[in-house]
Amino acid sequence: MESTEKLTDTNAILAYLYETFPLCFIAEGETKPLKIGLFQDLAERLADDSKVSKTQLRVALRRYTSSWRYLKCVKAGAQRVNLDGEPCGELEQEHIDHAQAMLKESQDKAKAKRAALAPKPAAKKAPKKVAVPQRAKTERPAKPAPIAAAPVVNYVQAQLTDLTKKQRVNVKLGMTPVAGVITDINKEDIHVQLDSGLTIKVRAEHILL
């Protein structure tokens, strides 16, 4: 009987690809560069498979080819492969340069994010002064206690598959994220109504959780 169970989680779809095309999609270790136009081959091969949709396949393929593990394999002398793991020609230099640039950019962003999330050293406290007994004086009003600094909120970059309608999120607008609620998700376009009442359309990379 044909399965009607639909895979929607990107990690589950990648696991399905690892199992279905093990000579093309490598689950662990060094990967292989994929044939140009592989998505079309993949869509045709899985056209009768009710488990995955073209949209979810595209998202999973983008996740796979943008991973550090994959970008590191795009190097001189490497052979592209098709769904059956058959060689489909060597990589062109411009593709190698592009992959290395993407890898460096991604690693730099991850490094900056780790630095931003790292706990900062606490400021040194001034030594307490020893109270010296004095003659009684007219009482003065006590100084108000200092206002505690607002807690630092550590936001997390959202993935498209993590987002749903009516979910509260934060949108990157300028230096300070703005809170709002997702009103609609149309493929990669996400409509968010900000708390100010303004509705905007953004991509997942502009949303923080």
Side-chain angles (χ1 to χ4, degrees):
M1 179 180 297
E2 184 180 359
S3 173
T4 58
E5 182 183 358
K6 200 79 169 178
L7 297 177
T8 56
D9 179 71
T10 303
N11 290 330
I13 295 173
L14 282 173
Y16 180 64
L17 293 178
Y18 296 148
E19 179 182 356
T20 308
F21 307 103
L23 299 179
C24 177
F25 295 97
I26 312 299
E28 297 181 357
E30 186 173 350
T31 64
K32 298 177 182 179
L34 303 181
K35 169 191 173 184
I36 295 176
L38 185 82
F39 173 75
Q40 188 59 38
D41 295 345
L42 191 60
E44 292 176 0
R45 189 77 70 90
L46 298 177
D48 298 328
D49 194 324
S50 61
K51 283 191 174 183
V52 291
S53 66
K54 283 188 176 182
T55 300
Q56 294 296 338
L57 277 177
R58 194 183 298 276
V59 172
L61 193 60
R62 186 181 297 117
R63 172 86 66 84
Y64 183 79
T65 55
S66 62
S67 67
W68 291 3
R69 192 166 61 96
Y70 180 85
L71 293 174
K72 288 178 180 179
C73 85
V74 181
K75 55 189 176 183
Q79 291 276 341
R80 292 186 180 275
V81 297
N82 62 14
L83 290 175
D84 299 315
E86 298 168 343
C88 294
E90 289 191 9
L91 293 161
E92 295 183 11
Q93 187 59 44
E94 62 178 307
H95 296 159
I96 296 173
D97 294 341
H98 178 68
Q100 297 310 308
M102 286 183 61
L103 176 62
K104 185 178 185 304
E105 180 182 358
S106 179
Q107 290 177 331
D108 289 345
K109 285 183 179 179
K111 183 178 180 181
K113 187 174 182 180
R114 286 196 300 269
L117 296 177
K120 297 180 180 179
K124 293 183 178 179
K125 295 183 179 179
K128 293 183 179 180
K129 295 182 179 180
V130 179
V132 178
Q134 297 181 354
R135 289 179 298 176
K137 293 183 180 181
T138 304
E139 293 185 359
R140 296 180 181 180
K143 294 183 179 179
I147 300 175
V152 177
V153 180
N154 294 328
Y155 294 103
V156 178
Q157 176 71 53
Q159 298 291 335
L160 181 61
T161 53
D162 298 333
L163 304 177
T164 58
K165 290 184 180 180
K166 298 184 180 180
Q167 180 180 1
R168 285 199 63 80
V169 296
N170 296 278
V171 182
K172 290 189 287 187
L173 295 176
M175 298 295 293
T176 305
V178 180
V181 177
I182 294 177
T183 59
D184 191 25
I185 299 176
N186 184 8
K187 294 183 179 180
E188 296 183 7
D189 294 329
I190 302 163
H191 299 261
V192 180
Q193 182 174 14
L194 304 180
D195 289 352
S196 63
L198 178 67
T199 298
I200 61 174
K201 181 172 70 175
V202 296
R203 297 295 183 91
E205 56 262 31
H206 296 291
I207 292 183
L208 302 172
L209 300 178

